[in-house]
Amino acid sequence: MAEAHQAVAFQFTVTPEGIDLQMSHQALTEIYLSGMRSWKKRIIRLKNSVITGVYPASPSSWLFVVIAILATMYTRSDPSMGLIAKIQEHLPVSQSMSTQCQAVVSAVLFSTMLWLLLIFTMRLCLKQLLSYHRWMFEQHGKMSNTTKVWVALVRIFSGRKPLLYSYQGSLPNLPVPAIKDTVKRYLESVRPLMDDTKYERMTKLAEEFESSLGNRLQWYLKLKALWASNYVSDWWEEYIYLRGRSPIMVNSNYYGMDFLYVTPTPIQAARAGNSIHAFFLYRRKLNKEEIKPVSLATSHPHNKIFYMLSAFYLSFISEDTVQHWQDSDYIVVYHRGRYFRLRVYQAGRLLSPREIEFQIQRILDDPSPPCKGEAKLGALTAGDRIPWAKARMKYFSSGVNKRSLDCIEKAAFFVALDDDEQGMMGDDPAASLDRYAKSLLHGKCYDRWFDKSFSVVYYKNGKNGINAEHSWADAPVLSHLWEFTLAFDSFQLGYNAEGHCKGDVDSSLPRPQKLSWEIPPECEEQISQSLAVAQALADDVDFHVFPFQDFGKGKIKKCRVSPDAFIQMALQLAYYRDQKRFCLTYEASMTRLFREGRTETVRSCTNESRAFVQAFDDVCSRLFRTALEKHQLLYRLAMTGAGIDRHLFCLYVVSKYLGVESPFLKEVLSEPWRLSTSQTPVQLSEMFDPVNHPEYVSPGGGFGPVADDGYGVSYCVVGDCMINFHISCKRSCPVTDTHKFGAQIRKALHDLLQLLSPTQKEPSKVEESRPEVKKDL
């Protein structure tokens, strides 16, 4: 095998004359440089760990405290109130050490203890300060004196500029809401969905639960919250993602799109060269903790960012696990049924974009056919989890298959080179965006590796996109990486006049290594079965993606309302017009104000929104603003740890551990989310220039429907004049239609703006089928 020979640093042959030893200096040099690079990273991580460990103080502050204590000793004052003398008495030192030296050592020990005590006190104070959330409930533009004092204190105790993980030790733990509050808010959330009879029945179930079993379950949950940094996150990851046995493709994975109106280069290999280089530059900044903490009023970081590159699923029969490799120096590339290992480091340095392009082009030009059974191997990760787990143990636990599978799973990320062309193009740009979304979400069901933390797809016309696995982190974490890559690709790296990456090529680079497989007929049969399951799921998904450009958050804010609440009310109005009923609505909210925080649910369908939608024909602006205020309140409650769904979920988990049944919890957890919504945040707006380069906008990303008879809606508010929507549903459901629902959303947005600004003229519509823009090369 060529791969095996390239990995050998030396070889020897036994001859009659003795042992003939042959050493590969190039291989030994690679080993040396790889080791040096690894040690440099360890030193950087150790340094950052020390800096983060003493935050909000700095390592240099230790020297300041020591000098200050020693200075006071020479002025014959004792700031330790006798503690230095006590330390000196019990100091285990040799007789050769002078009394003065012993006093200095004791003073240094006391200074160190004082310094650690100060760090602990500052961190405790910062943790208490970060537990203050009243600022979120204050009227926009008006800040109370208490909040002003709080802001000043946070700045004082935050100290110097934080690293990525500096706040981790100071973030408060997620609080456990009171049972009565959760039950009360739950009943309030389902009231608009039930008639009097059903609501009365649910009220009785809730009251019985609250007065009996609920208190017992709550006690166990509070016990967990005492020792766990987050009482929700581990159970949420395990039971929502890792224990699911249905396909993660469509059901769990989500996608992100390339620029909407511009393609920086039409050369597929060049686009891959720049963006792959940008991915590893991001990882370098991540390892050095040079990335700014993800901000939300204060600079709270998102802890899951660490697992972005190299995480992957490990499939077992009963549940999956997530593994992570810190220092993978290669990627795996899929093209026309073959898998290639591509090293992105040579002699200890990261390959330039032009060199990565050269290597990608080698893969594109490689005429070798796939191994028997290799072409559609990825379908195993797209189908049901149990067949994949069994196939993994039976066919991929040893030999060449295990080595190749390990290579895929330990890669930094997965790359797919597609022969298709995607993006907004052709005579029907709307339909082309719909095809683009489906391609990113599921592709051909075998040309992505859905277990990887993310797979990057590069199309023949230079477009790209990303597919992400959901268990390791939520969309805002990946979108931070994706925004950085898109911006760095276009505005920092750029392309030459011919559309190729800039720089020179070292033609002596070793060729990418084609992975080998030995797939028996029984395994091929399992691949075919998994592909059939995945293909049926993919064919059933309908997508509609459209950029709404008639107005954006600029005009919405002029009406003094929240853009997110405005869009959520538009979705409620559109859904009611589409289905002639109301439904349980899911909106994802971040809980990054807390340690290891992930998401909470905002139940957007409320009594207030129902009253507004039903009275809309009477043009009731007062009810609209009341519904908006209620939605904002629910969103803030969810962000500050007072949501209800994660609390109810954890209570249900505890009941299962105890082996007790709760009719109330069983009914609550079985309710379908027929309208599941999420906003894709724009986090690195400073890297884009919407004034000089308005065409460089991404439509965001989307996900599949949660309920068989429901809609999945993702939206991205871009700048002041655009809102991009991604709508999904299942074709097998006769009552849902993405294009019909999309038209209702457009109409609802216009109707709501007209309601808030009745004297405003109807905005002139920007042609939705804006032509594809090519960057001047």
Side-chain angles (χ1 to χ4, degrees), residues 169-342:
S170 301
L171 289 175
N173 292 355
L174 185 69
V176 180
I179 280 283
K180 63 177 182 179
D181 293 338
T182 295
V183 170
K184 178 183 176 182
R185 290 178 186 139
Y186 170 77
L187 291 174
E188 186 179 353
S189 71
V190 297
R191 185 65 186 96
L193 310 175
M194 297 180 176
D195 57 31
D196 293 341
T197 303
K198 290 183 179 179
Y199 182 71
E200 184 178 353
R201 172 182 168 275
M202 181 55 72
T203 301
K204 290 181 179 179
L205 288 176
E207 290 174 350
E208 291 175 3
F209 172 76
E210 181 184 347
S211 61
S212 56
L213 180 60
N215 290 323
R216 181 186 173 193
L217 300 179
Q218 180 80 345
W219 186 88
Y220 282 99
L221 210 54
K222 286 183 176 180
L223 187 63
K224 182 190 178 186
L226 288 176
W227 57 265
S229 54
N230 189 301
Y231 77 94
V232 175
S233 58
D234 58 337
W235 283 350
W236 185 256
E237 179 178 304
E238 178 180 356
Y239 292 104
I240 298 300
Y241 297 116
L242 300 182
R243 288 208 178 185
R245 302 292 80 194
S246 59
I248 59 175
M249 184 199 77
V250 175
N251 294 324
S252 179
N253 286 26
Y254 55 94
Y255 68 86
M257 284 186 169
D258 191 11
F259 293 121
L260 189 61
Y261 299 119
V262 63
T263 303
T265 177
I267 301 175
Q268 184 179 20
R271 191 72 194 282
N274 260 10
S275 59
I276 290 172
H277 184 82
F279 277 123
F280 280 90
L281 288 181
Y282 185 94
R283 189 176 76 170
R284 180 183 297 172
K285 293 171 70 70
L286 182 64
N287 287 333
K288 295 182 178 180
E289 297 190 34
E290 295 174 350
I291 298 172
K292 293 180 180 179
V294 179
S295 299
L296 185 63
T298 54
S299 300
H300 295 174
H302 204 298
N303 61 300
K304 287 291 185 178
I305 202 170
F306 178 70
Y307 298 98
M308 184 173 296
L309 293 123
S310 302
F312 72 97
Y313 255 128
L314 186 62
S315 186
F316 292 103
I317 300 295
S318 59
E319 66 177 285
D320 296 323
T321 61
V322 177
Q323 301 289 329
H324 176 72
W325 301 93
Q326 291 187 2
D327 195 22
S328 181
D329 62 354
Y330 68 93
I331 58 175
V332 167
V333 182
Y334 175 90
H335 178 241
R336 292 183 179 176
R338 294 100 30 98
Y339 292 86
F340 295 85
R341 175 176 178 168
L342 172 56

